[in-house]
Amino acid sequence: MERQYLIIPQIDELEQSFALAKEYDAAFEYNDFFDPLVYGQEEEWRKRVEIYKSLPRERSKDTLHGVFLDIAFTSKDTKIREYSRKLMKQSMSIAEKMGVKGVVFHSGLIGSLNTPAYLNGWLQEAEGFYRELAMEFPGTEIYLENTFERSPETLVRLKERMADVDNFFLCLDYGHACLTPMDIQLWVEAFKGKTGHIHLNDNDLVDDLHEVPGEGKIDFIQCKKDLAQLEGVSVLLELTGIEKQKRALTYMKNL
């Protein structure tokens, strides 16, 4: 099965984004709607929805990145928690209106805080809310992305607890995983069979630089072998800028 690649459309260069996606048979992952200047103004996000929907292209393979800036959906502060959850539901609602496949969310976990009380509390709150979200939007997939976690254990535990929920998956951010102390192959093994989507770019193995694949220090020969274990899972080449996206698509297609 041929890998489905996605790119981030640039609304100010939409003609070029459309042409590039058509040339490489790529889908879109919309990054507009996690920006407070967009999601905070109903007129603005509705305008963007209509602009994207006006393009003569199929959107059922597209994805959308949900809110994450200052989001704390498991906060003990009820006002912060409820507002965060309201915004996450808004992301799901926008995705539903767009007719896209799914929405990516960050875990919100503090990666360096590994006490059982903290992790078990997060698991309980996250499971309850993601079950609610999955039930409210059954036609839209949810992808939980590894961000600052130092190991895959907690996200894997959540997925295993939610094994009965058909539209909840993990999103492997390969570049993020390469920045952790744990070997990347262990991340891939842990995520196997639990992953619905992948984020991919290159870095210097120190910082999350979002470089074009093949232009940093990640071993993409090994990456190709790793991704083969996650067969059929869509891959966002998480880069901004038409030229970078074209270089990335060309590199990955020829790898």
Side-chain angles (χ1 to χ4, degrees), residues 163-206:
D164 59 309
V165 179
D166 293 337
N167 58 329
F168 179 81
F169 302 92
L170 301 181
C171 170
L172 175 63
D173 189 303
Y174 195 92
H176 290 171
C178 284
L179 297 176
T180 70
M182 182 170 285
D183 190 279
I184 183 61
Q185 280 77 55
L186 296 177
W187 277 90
V188 173
E189 183 64 31
F191 272 48
K192 193 186 301 183
K194 305 174 182 68
T195 304
H197 192 47
I198 296 168
H199 280 182
L200 188 64
N201 48 55
D202 209 341
N203 60 52
D204 62 357
L205 302 180
V206 178

Side-chain angles (χ1 to χ4, degrees), residues 15 23 41-42 69 79-80 114 116 149-150 186 196 222 227 237:
E15 211 171 290
E23 179 182 355
Q41 302 179 53
E42 184 173 353
L69 296 166
K79 289 184 178 179
I80 293 172
N114 294 309
E149 302 80 16
R150 310 306 285 164
L186 296 177
Q222 182 61 52
L227 295 189
L237 298 174

Side-chain angles (χ1 to χ4, degrees), residues 58-103:
E58 175 63 46
R59 295 187 305 282
S60 63
K61 295 179 180 178
D62 293 352
T63 55
L64 181 147
H65 203 309
V67 292
F68 67 91
L69 296 166
D70 303 316
I71 296 299
F73 75 100
T74 62
S75 174
K76 292 186 181 299
D77 184 311
T78 56
K79 289 184 178 179
I80 293 172
R81 183 174 68 246
E82 292 310 313
Y83 186 61
S84 295
R85 294 182 179 198
K86 176 184 175 182
L87 293 179
M88 290 171 73
K89 287 186 178 185
Q90 178 178 296
S91 291
M92 293 294 288
S93 179
I94 290 172
E96 191 175 60
K97 289 176 171 62
M98 296 272 287
V100 305
K101 182 177 71 167
V103 178

